[in-house]
Amino acid sequence: MTQVLLCKRVIWVPTWKGWVLLMGTIFLCALLFLKAAYPILAPTQRQDANILVVEGWLPEYALTAAIDEYHAHDGYQYLITSGGPLWEGHHASGFHSYAGLAAQVIRAQTFDTNQLVVAHGPKVWRHRTYHSALAVRECLQSLDHDITGINVMTLGPHGRRTKIIFENVLRDLAPVGIISYPSAEYDARRWWRTSEGTKHLLTEALASTYEWLFESGRPTDPPISKPPLPTL
């Protein structure tokens, strides 16, 4: 009976020198990740562009930075806000999408409305950034203007994923650049010292890996409605 349920195997285990080498390798890999992860996930690679796209969910200080970015480069001719519907607070705010809310914040800072375009995204559960990019594409195609380049502004480690998605959706229209504005909630150089920085970076590392593996050339998900609340 014992021979049926159990068997004898010989295994190799590291010596103390092997354990030192193994632990040292793990430590160096962890140190390399801490130092290199943020620059990889939050790139800033501008193109010579005449279109600036800003993701509408960005906090107000980042939207202000988008205005500064727009005025600092004479080549920009349009600023496009992107984003899907607000799940909460749209009745109180009067705005139904992040794109519309961000546009209002930008208008309030005396931005020229003739150079402001709002790209409302559809209501979807998944692939929200992808659908925002599709909405931006529709707006760009409706503009009676030559497009020389597109820079997309986002927040921190979301930059790598945003670049992958927008580049896949828009690269046939013009070169796509990325501007990753740093979050004010943590020090980008020491992101691991705060729970917010750790959560943000690890989440985006997984999401960027997903986009890299499966790409964004996915079929369009149909717009959906938020399910009704259960009846008591």
Side-chain angles (χ1 to χ4, degrees), residues 10-23:
V10 177
I11 62 170
W12 292 83
V13 296
T15 63
W16 70 268
K17 293 182 180 180
W19 280 114
V20 170
L21 179 62
L22 179 61
M23 298 306 294

Side-chain angles (χ1 to χ4, degrees), residues 19-32:
W19 280 114
V20 170
L21 179 62
L22 179 61
M23 298 306 294
T25 302
I26 293 174
F27 175 79
L28 289 176
C29 289
L31 184 62
L32 181 63

Side-chain angles (χ1 to χ4, degrees), residues 84-85 87 120-128 130-131 134 138 219-227:
W87 292 103
H120 300 284
K123 182 181 289 187
V124 292
W125 286 113
R126 304 188 312 148
H127 307 145
R128 290 183 293 271
Y130 171 70
H131 286 280
L134 289 178
E138 290 180 6
T220 302
D221 294 339
I224 59 174
S225 299
K226 194 173 183 180

Side-chain angles (χ1 to χ4, degrees), residues 95-147:
F95 296 96
H96 294 280
S97 72
Y98 285 102
L101 183 59
Q104 180 57 28
V105 172
I106 292 171
R107 287 191 199 99
Q109 300 188 49
T110 64
F111 189 85
D112 185 357
T113 56
N114 292 323
Q115 300 177 32
L116 183 63
V117 179
V118 183
H120 300 284
K123 182 181 289 187
V124 292
W125 286 113
R126 304 188 312 148
H127 307 145
R128 290 183 293 271
T129 302
Y130 171 70
H131 286 280
S132 292
L134 289 178
V136 170
R137 181 184 178 89
E138 290 180 6
C139 286
L140 291 173
Q141 291 176 324
S142 67
L143 291 176
D144 186 17
H145 205 282
D146 292 333
I147 303 171

